[in-house]
Amino acid sequence: MWLWGAHGVSIFGSLVTRAALPFTAALALHASAAQMALLGAADLIASLIVGLWAGAWVDRVRRKPLLIGCDVARAMLLATIPVAAWTGRLDLTLLLVVKFLAGGFDTLFELARGAFVPGVVGEPRLVEANSRLSATSSVAEVSAFGIAGWLVQWLTGPIAIGVDAISFLVSAFLLGGIRTPERSPMRHAAVATFATWLADMREGLVATFGDPLQRTLAISDAMLNLTFGLFTACYMLFVTRELALSPGPLGMVFAVGGISGLVAAAYAARLGKRLGVGRVMALGLIISSVGLGVATLTPPHAVALALTILVLQQLVGDGGWTLYMIHSSSLRMARAPEALRGRIGSASGSLSVAARLGGIVLGGAFGDGLGSRVVLGVGASITLVAGLGLLRSARGSCFTRTAHS
């Protein structure tokens, strides 16, 4: 319950910043497509740098103090943005630095949380726990995105980002209330050397890409993140410039996705048992690709119709994405040995980050030339290919054995 509460509070603040920060760059600092791509890539570059060695670190230390430390660090970083705005020193460089450093702590936090959750809830309840966390994220998405757009429009982006800084402090306090004892870290943690770090990272890579199921999950995640990268670079410019939509209504549109995410989280476990985990994951990706593709059909100079189509995209796309992520994360946690959870998570996560970063670079490079609409369409096609490939893999024995166990 403490973990659940901390997750709900921090995800609310994070979603406010996810909307407020690009709005700040696009509207207050008049960022170009290339600058928006660079801003979207800043935290991903940090994640790529931190990813592999952070997984080895997570497997060497107790996870709860690490989670609390990451929350406090992120709160301090984000607090610099409203302070800079108040003193008249806010610029794109500061946004880039904060997003880069916060991205490193985000990566470390997520790896530690992924390794921490099974020990708190027990492996038999992983899908139930991840469904509950995902449902909470969906509720937070409805409220945070619904509020974020108006906060930016009424109070400016930096003030909205200040809300996230406070939420991380509350999350740290709630995490401190967890009393579930942790297993001792690996015995050789105190004598780590560069050679042992390399050996630990190599062991995580082998465990990830040597296991057919873990490898399939890692590749599917990477293709989905490639799509996300393309959307990161072009979506905000598409809706604010080509469609001429304002922050308030857009925040409400983003919030709608949480409704379908909440429904998907409620039925994820039942669908997995009825249709099979692999088929549900493939279905989720295919549904998500359809939703993303719908966004590319949005006409310009028709605000009411554009908002309607974007709402449909959120309703369809977010539900499919939620179905996929709940089962993907649960399978990865359940399949990984306890001593390797951090490193398996970091290996898969690093591949996803590299793919998302590649998508952002491609989106920034071709967004202005080809147009945002074309880049978004390519992204939707990539997710569709990933879903069809996963549907084929779902017939394999690795999914069947995991579902039965």
Side-chain angles (χ1 to χ4, degrees):
M1 294 298 291
W2 285 109
L3 178 65
W4 187 22
H7 171 78
V9 171
S10 65
I11 199 67
F12 175 87
S14 296
L15 290 171
V16 168
T17 293
R18 186 183 299 178
L21 199 146
F23 273 138
T24 300
L27 301 178
L29 301 178
H30 308 291
S32 65
Q35 288 173 327
M36 290 293 289
L38 183 60
L39 185 64
D43 56 337
L44 298 178
I45 294 172
S47 296
L48 200 57
I49 294 172
V50 170
L52 288 175
W53 69 263
W57 188 17
V58 165
D59 286 336
R60 288 176 174 274
V61 300
R62 296 189 185 277
R63 283 76 182 250
K64 191 178 85 170
L66 195 58
L67 293 170
I68 294 173
C70 288
D71 269 344
V72 173
R74 290 184 290 181
M76 295 173 63
L77 284 168
L78 290 174
T80 63
I81 293 178
V83 170
W86 183 63
T87 58
R89 298 180 178 180
L90 181 64
D91 57 18
L92 190 64
T93 300
L94 178 62
L95 293 185
L96 288 170
V97 171
V98 170
K99 203 158 187 287
F100 176 82
L101 295 176
F105 285 109
D106 285 343
T107 300
L108 188 56
F109 183 91
E110 288 303 316
L111 289 173
R113 186 171 70 91
F116 187 56
V117 168
V120 174
V121 304
E123 291 184 14
R125 300 184 66 189
L126 273 177
V127 172
E128 177 188 350
N130 284 322
S131 296
R132 183 176 296 185
L133 293 175
S134 181
T136 304
S137 298
S138 298
V139 173
E141 183 177 348
V142 174
S143 56
F145 281 150
I147 293 171
W150 297 110
L151 283 178
V152 173
Q153 192 162 319
W154 294 337
L155 302 177
T156 73
I159 300 301
I161 293 171
V163 173
D164 194 8
I166 296 172
S167 74
F168 281 128
L169 293 178
V170 176
S171 174
F173 171 78
L174 293 174
L175 287 171
I178 297 175
R179 295 292 178 262
T180 303
E182 286 191 71
R183 294 182 182 179
S184 298
M186 296 189 306
R187 288 180 297 175
H188 62 285
V191 293
T193 64
F194 181 71
T196 59
W197 280 106
L198 288 179
D200 287 346
M201 288 188 287
R202 189 182 304 112
E203 189 177 5
L205 289 169
V206 170
T208 302
F209 297 103
D211 181 348
L213 176 60
Q214 295 284 10
R215 183 172 62 249
T216 298
L217 295 177
I219 292 173
S220 298
D221 284 0
M223 295 181 72
L224 183 61
N225 274 275
L226 178 59
T227 297
F228 287 163
L230 294 172
F231 269 68
T232 297
C234 295
Y235 187 79
M236 192 62 73
L237 296 178
F238 175 65
V239 295
T240 59
R241 296 181 182 176
E242 188 169 336
L243 303 182
L245 300 176
S246 58
L250 278 174
M252 300 298 291
V253 168
F254 298 156
V256 171
I259 298 174
S260 61
L262 181 61
V263 174
Y267 288 94
R270 267 177 277 184
L271 286 173
K273 291 178 181 178
R274 177 170 297 182
L275 302 178
V277 172
R279 291 188 182 89
V280 170
M281 291 170 61
L283 179 63
L285 286 181
I286 293 170
I287 291 174
S288 182
S289 71
V290 171
L292 296 176
V294 167
T296 67
L297 304 177
T298 309
H301 312 301
V303 173
L305 182 58
L307 288 174
T308 300
I309 292 178
L310 291 179
V311 165
L312 290 175
Q313 181 266 317
Q314 289 288 316
L315 287 174
V316 174
D318 277 33
W321 177 84
T322 300
L323 278 177
Y324 171 78
M325 290 305 300
I326 287 174
H327 287 292
S328 175
S329 58
S330 298
L331 280 176
R332 181 173 293 110
M333 291 177 187
R335 185 84 162 195
E338 198 279 335
L340 285 167
R341 281 182 182 139
R343 283 168 286 172
I344 289 176
S346 70
S348 177
S350 294
L351 179 61
S352 292
V353 168
R356 183 176 293 203
L357 185 58
I360 289 175
V361 171
L362 292 173
F366 295 105
D368 290 331
L370 298 177
S372 299
R373 192 184 300 271
V374 173
V375 174
L376 296 179
V378 171
S381 300
I382 292 171
T383 300
L384 178 60
V385 171
L388 294 175
L390 191 58
L391 185 62
R392 182 179 180 181
S393 298
R395 301 188 183 98
S397 59
C398 63
F399 278 99
T400 304
R401 287 196 304 270
T402 304
H404 288 169
S405 63

